[in-house]
Amino acid sequence: MGIDWEEILGVEENIAESYDDLVNEAMDDYLDESDEWQRSNNGHYVVGVWNGKKVRFKHKWCNHEFSEQEIDDLLSGKEIRFRCTVTKNEQDVIGKLEHLEYKGTKYVGFSPSNWKK
């Protein structure tokens, strides 16, 4: 006996798009219009407005937790710079928020611009 996602999501086609729509609706409800950004209730994500759309992205990248100023800068479309330890080497990381894709799933996240892709 499995979960009937089509019944739960109320659709019979493209369940992934329906799920994304439900997440976006929940983010609309979650984000208080008086605030520019908020941490989600589990603390692992930041919810805010980027490029005119409400987005959700992880509040950490590698072992670096974004400061409030860095979050403000990322949501403003600016690049940020910070020191990060990657495979026992400390290095400068420069990057900004971008539309990304992982195994067919599209999302918004931090993308380092000074690393080879």
Side-chain angles (χ1 to χ4, degrees), residues 47-92:
V47 178
V49 177
W50 174 67
N51 289 341
K53 292 192 174 199
K54 292 180 184 172
V55 297
R56 179 181 83 136
F57 62 95
K58 290 187 177 182
H59 82 287
K60 287 176 85 173
W61 188 86
C62 193
N63 61 355
H64 176 76
E65 185 171 337
F66 298 124
S67 69
E68 290 187 13
Q69 182 61 52
E70 289 171 330
I71 292 169
D72 288 339
D73 289 345
L74 288 169
L75 289 170
S76 297
K78 298 177 184 175
E79 278 193 334
I80 62 170
R81 172 184 289 238
F82 55 88
R83 298 287 290 168
C84 184
T85 303
V86 180
T87 60
K88 300 182 182 179
N89 296 319
E90 191 170 341
Q91 37 188 290
D92 281 330

Side-chain angles (χ1 to χ4, degrees), residues 2-115:
I3 298 172
D4 186 354
W5 288 107
E6 292 175 354
E7 182 180 329
I8 292 169
L9 296 174
V11 298
E12 295 183 16
E13 295 181 23
N14 206 333
I15 293 173
E17 282 184 18
S18 299
Y19 175 80
D20 288 343
D21 290 344
L22 287 174
V23 169
N24 289 334
E25 285 176 29
M27 284 186 358
D28 288 346
D29 294 339
Y30 179 80
L31 186 62
D32 180 354
E33 296 302 326
S34 64
D35 295 325
E36 289 186 27
W37 61 268
Q38 300 174 6
R39 292 203 189 272
S40 65
N41 56 5
N42 67 9
H44 297 292
Y45 290 91
V46 172
V47 178
V49 177
W50 174 67
N51 289 341
K53 292 192 174 199
K54 292 180 184 172
V55 297
R56 179 181 83 136
F57 62 95
K58 290 187 177 182
H59 82 287
K60 287 176 85 173
W61 188 86
C62 193
N63 61 355
H64 176 76
E65 185 171 337
F66 298 124
S67 69
E68 290 187 13
Q69 182 61 52
E70 289 171 330
I71 292 169
D72 288 339
D73 289 345
L74 288 169
L75 289 170
S76 297
K78 298 177 184 175
E79 278 193 334
I80 62 170
R81 172 184 289 238
F82 55 88
R83 298 287 290 168
C84 184
T85 303
V86 180
T87 60
K88 300 182 182 179
N89 296 319
E90 191 170 341
Q91 37 188 290
D92 281 330
V93 176
I94 302 168
K96 62 183 181 175
L97 289 182
E98 290 188 14
H99 290 282
L100 303 170
E101 186 173 342
Y102 179 73
K103 292 187 177 180
T105 302
K106 295 180 181 181
Y107 66 98
V108 171
F110 179 79
S111 179
S113 59
N114 63 333
W115 287 21

